[in-house]
Structure formats: structure tokens, C-alpha cells
Amino acid sequence: MHSSNINDGLGFFDRESLIEAELEALFQVGRVLSRSLNLHETLKAVLEVLNDQTGMERGMVALRDEGGDMMHIKAVHGLAPEMIAEVTYQAGEGIIGTILEDGQPMIIDRLDQEPEFLDRLGYYDPTLPFLAEPIIIGKLDPVGVIAAQPAAGRVMLLHERARFLKMVANLIAQSVRLSWEVENEKRTLTNERDQLRQAVQGSYGFDNIVGHTQAMRRVFDQVSQVSKWNTTVLIRGESGTGKELIANAIHYNSPRSGDPFIKLNCAALPDNLLESELFGHEKGAFTGAVNQRKGRFEQADGGTIFLDEIGEITPAFQAKLLRVLQEGEFERIGGTKTLKVDVRVVAATNKNLEQEVEEGEFREDLYYRLNVMPIYLPSLHERVEDIPDLSAYLVDKIARQQGRKLTLSDSAVRVLMRYNWPGNVRELENCLERAAVMCSDGNIDAQAIGLTGIEDKLYGATSAPKSAAPRKRAAVDFDDPEMDERERVIAALEQTGWVQAKAARLLNMTPRQIAYRIQTLNIKVQKI
Ligand SMILES: Nc1ncnc2c1ncn2[C@@H]1O[C@H](COP(=O)(O)OP(=O)(O)OP(=O)(O)O)[C@@H](O)[C@H]1O
Ligand SMILES: [Mg+2]
């Protein structure tokens, strides 16, 4: 008597053809399991192989949660995942739970003769045999159970079939072990990542931005207000006033803080490279584009992109940027697919963008797009009262970097407060670092500050009094006819910490021109 569902032409009605079919099935099971680490998916495919190749019907795999007693059904052949989602077994409970507890296989001739059987699934055929094997990793307690019913009408050979099921259980055990290992690894990495993130968030909190003057308090207020929203922010201020620091604070105090914060200095790259940095490129888009590459906008998806020195981009590039800011859409270079991203834009500039707009150097529409929420950082000479706190903070920071104790005398602070700091906080930091390096006992006093050279440039110490209208910029007069070209370029580079794009601005040159001068004047570029 053959019921209709088993007469599928597989034709193993004796021991030999059964073993042959099982071998083929084992081969396929191995292949299926190595395909992916998604157990839900692979186990389902394994059970399908058992059913189709060897007539082991209604296959079921249940696995213990790692470290727990409870077992969840992962897959049942012929049942939709929704129907099994809720079914669980406790160790020691019914046939399946008993196998989990004592690790012994179960061979039952007819299911309805087994009083222990719970049939939680309500799915098994009570007139058929039932085979179940523990899934065991090494010498540990079983991690799960695999069970199935041999189809009616075939050769039963229950012990042979149980042996086969055991081999399948072994293969599954290897996959489970691997998948748990990968899960653990992932968990460790995620924990590490979260800890690093917290550390980063900590170092970009407001605690690390020093300032109690009214001008700075206003900045803090604006940052904490604007952080909550997705508004585009334009950070304005002279070089070294802390624009990047504020950009970090905005991101790490925003709801996007768990997502990427991607920075790009727009002054550092020519148009074509800038475009491929920001938008990415497809393989073969241009010579050297060997692989497809994601741009910074894609990397920043869900998070924030910081476009530093936004005032430096060419009109051609301004048009390209405008589209992303307006639509959130772009294509990779050489690509046809339009990509859409959710990115919050924070930009910074030390340029007078209004004037640039007037002179036709900066697109007006882009200016309005960016200037939604401007934050102005005061220059240091506008907040002299912050110098004592800032100096103390920076000296601490330098002491940590140098791994020694440093102190700053009151007389030193008084000298620092008399200087006008054209390079703002960055210049103050550099000056203190130089002073620290030069004083072997670690006590930075007025004399140590003097050795850094700033004393020559103190207010009142130079011939023209500067206190009424503090200089906007240089401590060095770049139009000084006494200076030769080489000295001028070096002085500009020194003042800008050897950032060529900035030095070029001081000298009213393009980045390309200064690069050319550096080369022809044989200036050795310092790495800082
Ligand atoms: N209020 C502040 N409190 C503590 N440190 C500060 C503060 N402002 C700036 N700094 C420090 O000064 C240095 C320069 O700051 P930052 O790089 O943010 O300036 P910037 O405005 O981006 O300059 P640039 O226009 O030259 O790029 C950094 O080391 C920063 O940590
Ligand atoms: Mg900066």
C-alpha cells in the first residue's frame, strides 16, 4: 500500500538504495550548511533535503538558546515559520525535552504508543515511527534536537535511519558552534564599539570645550539647541577658534550620535578628487578606479557629514553640492543609479561668505542652503577672560600627552592675556606646548612663555598700538618688502601649522600656486 505522497519515484525500497540516497543527502546537507550562517534559513533547507532525498518527513530542528534551558523550534519541514514561532520545550519536558536533558537518541516504532509524546505542534502522524537525535557540540550538553518521521510505504530500517540522522545532527552541531562563535565575536565587537563610542562622546561633550564668557555661553546654548534637530549648521569663525570641536559636539550630542560622523576638508582636494571622495565612484569610472568605492555621503548615511572649509570649493563644485543638499540625491561617478541618503550636514568656514556671494565667488542659493543655522565662534582676543581657564585646560592636556606634571604660573597667564592670538586657541595651544617642551622642571612661567617668541608680538610691545582695533590676522606682515619670497612663504606656512591651503589664503595665492612655490623655492615641508 503506497499512499500518494510517497510514490515520488525515488525508488529506495531496499537497504542499498536507501544508503545510497542517504549519502547523496549528506553531501547536500553539508553544502547547504556551508552556504550561510543564518540557521533559520539553512536548517529549513536541510530538512527539505531530508524529505526530498530520503523520505524523512516532517523534519524538525529545535535549538537551545546559548546558555539557556529553553529550546526553540528553528525549522519544521512543511510548516510556515509563523506557526512554530511560539513553540518551546523545557529540558526534561516530553520526548524532545528528555533528549535535551540526557543526550540519548529516541527510536519509536509508532508514535501513538508513546505516552510521553506531547505533540506540541499537532503535526505528526501518530501511526508512523518517530526518530529523534540530540545535537551535540563536542563533549558538551546537547544544544538541540533533530527529529523526523520516515514516510509510510518505504523500507523502514529504523536503526539505519537513526544512524543517518545522527550524522546530520553532527553536521548541524558544527554549524551551530560556528554560528555561536560568530555571534559571540560580533557581541564582543559591538560592546567594544559601544565603549569606544561612549569614550568618544565623552571627549566631545561640553566638558571639553572651555569658555565661560558670554560669547561662548551663547555658542553652547546654540549647540545644545541645534543638536536636537537635523538642521544644516554653518560654523563660522577665524582659524583656530574651535570650529571642528563644535562640529564634533553637535554630532555627539545629537540623536545621530550612534551613527557615523564623517569629516572632509574641502580645501584639501582638487575638484575631481573632491567629487569622488564625496560621491564615490563605480569601477572603471576613470583611470585608477579599479574598484567601486562608496563616497563620504554614503558612509555618513544616517549620521552627520562635516564639510570643513566649505568656502574653498569652486563654483562648478558648488552646483554639485547644492543638489545633494536640496534633494539628498546623487550618483556615484560613472554610475547611473541615483542614490538617496539621510545625512545631516554641518559645514565650517573662516571666509566671509557674504562677501564671496557679492563677488560672485560663492553661489547665493548654496549660501542660503548652508546658512540655515549659523554659529559664530568668537576669536580669542574677543574673550580674553577665557584665557586663564583655557590655558589651564590646555596645560593639563599637554601634561597628559607628555606624561608628566606641568604647572602654569600666574605671571605666565598674565603674559598670555596680553597677546592678541591671531591664530586663536590653536596658537595658544601650540605656544603652551612649545613652552612646556622648553622648561625642564615642568613649571611654565612668564620666562618660559617669553622663550616661545610671543613676547615680541605682545600688544604695545610693537610700534603701532593694536589694542583699539585688533588685527584680523597675521602676526607677520606678509607685505613686508624686506622679506623675500621664500621667507614669506615659510612664515605663512608656519603660522598656519603647515596647512598649505590656509597659507595660500594668507598670501592671496591659490593652493596650486603655493604648491608650485614650495617646490621651486625648495622649501622643506614640515610634518606636524
Ligand atoms: N573652547 C575650546 N576649549 C578647548 N579647546 C579648544 C577650544 N577651542 C579650540 N580648542 C582647541 O584648539 C585647537 C583648534 O581647534 P579647531 O581645530 O576646532 O579649530 P578650527 O576653528 O577648526 O580651526 P581651522 O579653521 O584652522 O581649521 C584644537 O586642538 C581644539 O581642541
Ligand atoms: Mg578646522
Side-chain angles (χ1 to χ4, degrees):
M1 47 135 250
H2 287 180
S3 69
S4 59
N5 66 330
I6 54 103
N7 196 2
D8 46 15
L10 287 173
F12 49 86
F13 296 99
D14 55 36
R15 188 183 170 84
E16 217 164 296
S17 55
L18 174 65
I19 290 178
E20 203 171 302
E22 286 176 349
L23 267 180
E24 171 61 23
L26 275 181
F27 173 69
Q28 288 188 22
V29 165
R31 222 173 35 191
V32 163
L33 286 174
S34 62
R35 218 165 43 199
S36 124
L37 279 175
N38 178 343
L39 289 173
H40 275 287
E41 210 172 83
T42 52
L43 292 175
K44 197 165 162 279
V46 166
L47 297 177
E48 193 166 320
V49 172
L50 299 197
N51 181 80
D52 297 356
Q53 297 286 327
T54 67
M56 293 285 266
E57 294 180 340
R58 302 184 190 85
M60 182 282 294
V61 177
L63 292 176
R64 191 155 56 74
D65 299 328
E66 201 186 347
D69 271 350
M70 194 74 107
M71 199 163 42
H72 291 272
I73 296 193
K74 292 288 170 193
V76 177
H77 184 68
L79 283 188
E82 311 80 82
M83 303 180 67
I84 56 176
E86 299 299 315
V87 184
T88 56
Y89 300 96
Q90 200 78 39
E93 213 182 22
I95 295 183
I96 306 288
T98 306
I99 298 174
L100 187 69
E101 195 168 68
D102 55 23
Q104 295 302 316
M106 200 72 87
I107 301 176
I108 300 168
D109 290 337
R110 248 184 90 113
L111 200 48
D112 55 9
Q113 286 164 5
E114 177 54 56
E116 285 281 307
F117 193 65
L118 295 173
D119 199 8
R120 287 247 161 98
L121 286 169
Y123 180 55
Y124 292 102
D125 182 337
T127 67
L128 285 177
F130 183 82
L131 301 175
E133 287 283 339
I135 297 170
I136 298 178
I137 300 175
K139 293 194 176 17
L140 303 176
D141 288 343
V143 298
V145 173
I146 179 169
Q149 291 193 292
R154 301 272 168 86
V155 48
M156 283 304 170
L157 290 166
L158 290 188
H159 284 272
E160 170 51 41
R161 286 179 180 274
R163 196 178 69 109
F164 164 70
L165 208 55
K166 192 185 195 71
M167 291 192 259
V168 175
N170 283 341
L171 289 176
I172 292 175
Q174 298 310 316
S175 288
V176 172
R177 184 179 55 85
L178 200 63
S179 138
W180 281 4
E181 275 173 16
V182 171
E183 271 309 312
N184 277 334
E185 189 74 7
K186 256 200 230 155
R187 208 169 307 138
T188 317
L189 286 175
T190 315
N191 285 344
E192 270 173 26
R193 186 200 59 194
D194 291 348
Q195 277 166 10
L196 283 174
R197 237 177 225 164
Q198 274 171 5
V200 170
Q201 269 160 358
S203 54
Y204 288 113
F206 289 118
D207 297 350
N208 296 286
I209 312 177
V210 180
H212 61 263
T213 46
Q214 193 162 358
M216 279 311 278
R217 281 211 303 270
R218 200 163 145 241
V219 169
F220 295 149
D221 274 352
Q222 285 175 321
V223 170
S224 59
Q225 283 302 321
V226 87
S227 292
K228 296 181 217 150
W229 313 106
N230 285 330
T231 330
T232 302
V233 181
L234 183 61
I235 307 171
R236 322 262 315 242
E238 286 177 17
S239 188
T241 45
K243 296 188 290 297
E244 188 162 344
L245 205 58
I246 292 294
N248 276 295
I250 291 174
H251 174 75
Y252 288 107
N253 287 292
S254 81
R256 294 172 176 252
S257 63
D259 292 299
F261 180 58
I262 305 286
K263 303 179 190 185
L264 185 70
N265 187 321
C266 300
L269 298 169
D271 267 17
N272 54 347
L273 287 185
L274 193 57
E275 189 175 356
S276 105
E277 263 317 305
L278 276 180
F279 304 134
H281 59 71
E282 294 296 340
K283 190 172 166 172
F286 46 82
T287 323
V290 197
N291 289 309
Q292 183 208 64
R293 180 149 172 257
K294 278 190 184 179
R296 306 270 173 119
F297 267 106
E298 264 177 274
Q299 291 169 14
D301 199 10
T304 307
I305 194 165
F306 175 44
L307 301 173
D308 203 359
E309 312 245 19
I310 192 80
E312 303 304 318
I313 59 177
T314 63
F317 198 76
Q318 291 168 19
K320 293 195 170 123
L321 195 59
L322 185 64
R323 175 164 168 237
V324 204
L325 296 188
Q326 268 168 348
E327 327 281 347
E329 280 183 2
F330 60 93
E331 286 91 31
R332 295 199 193 113
I333 302 180
T336 47
K337 203 170 80 190
T338 299
L339 304 169
K340 210 167 170 61
V341 287
D342 163 30
V343 172
R344 197 253 179 100
V345 176
V346 176
T349 185
N350 55 9
K351 273 200 166 174
N352 181 342
L353 282 192
E354 291 74 15
Q355 192 184 333
E356 302 272 312
V357 168
E358 214 147 275
E359 289 166 2
E361 291 291 321
F362 204 85
R363 287 179 70 117
E364 193 171 8
D365 42 10
L366 180 58
Y367 167 77
Y368 283 117
R369 264 286 148 193
L370 291 170
N371 203 33
V372 182
M373 176 69 209
I375 295 183
Y376 288 89
L377 293 188
S379 43
L380 193 51
H381 66 70
E382 291 172 68
R383 50 186 191 107
V384 177
E385 314 85 77
D386 275 337
I387 290 180
D389 278 356
L390 257 177
S391 309
Y393 171 83
L394 293 170
V395 166
D396 270 355
K397 181 169 155 186
I398 296 162
R400 271 197 307 277
Q401 281 162 4
Q402 299 189 349
R404 62 178 181 147
K405 209 168 149 343
L406 291 174
T407 57
L408 183 69
S409 77
D410 290 349
S411 63
V413 175
R414 279 196 294 275
V415 176
L416 294 172
M417 287 177 77
R418 281 170 54 214
Y419 182 51
N420 79 333
W421 302 112
N424 296 295
V425 186
R426 180 179 294 108
E427 191 184 1
L428 175 62
E429 189 171 358
N430 289 347
C431 166
L432 287 168
E433 189 168 348
R434 246 177 291 144
V437 167
M438 283 187 286
C439 65
S440 47
D441 62 357
N443 294 321
I444 305 174
D445 53 16
Q447 202 188 356
I449 299 290
L451 286 175
T452 65
I454 70 154
E455 212 161 21
D456 311 342
K457 306 171 209 158
L458 290 177
Y459 281 141
T462 44
S463 51
K466 296 282 181 5
S467 42
R471 279 165 297 192
K472 259 248 134 356
R473 190 142 265 168
V476 181
D477 179 4
F478 292 104
D479 298 325
D480 186 346
E482 300 275 285
M483 264 200 210
D484 72 11
E485 179 77 357
R486 191 161 189 279
E487 280 170 357
R488 272 179 4 113
V489 174
I490 292 180
L493 282 165
E494 272 180 346
Q495 182 164 330
T496 55
W498 293 82
V499 177
Q500 292 184 21
K502 287 183 194 164
R505 274 202 305 275
L506 281 183
L507 297 168
N508 268 333
M509 290 180 186
T510 65
R512 208 191 299 276
Q513 283 168 336
I514 197 166
Y516 180 73
R517 296 279 201 302
I518 288 171
Q519 207 178 12
T520 51
L521 297 169
N522 201 12
I523 295 172
K524 210 161 151 271
V525 177
Q526 315 250 318
K527 292 260 182 306
I528 53 152

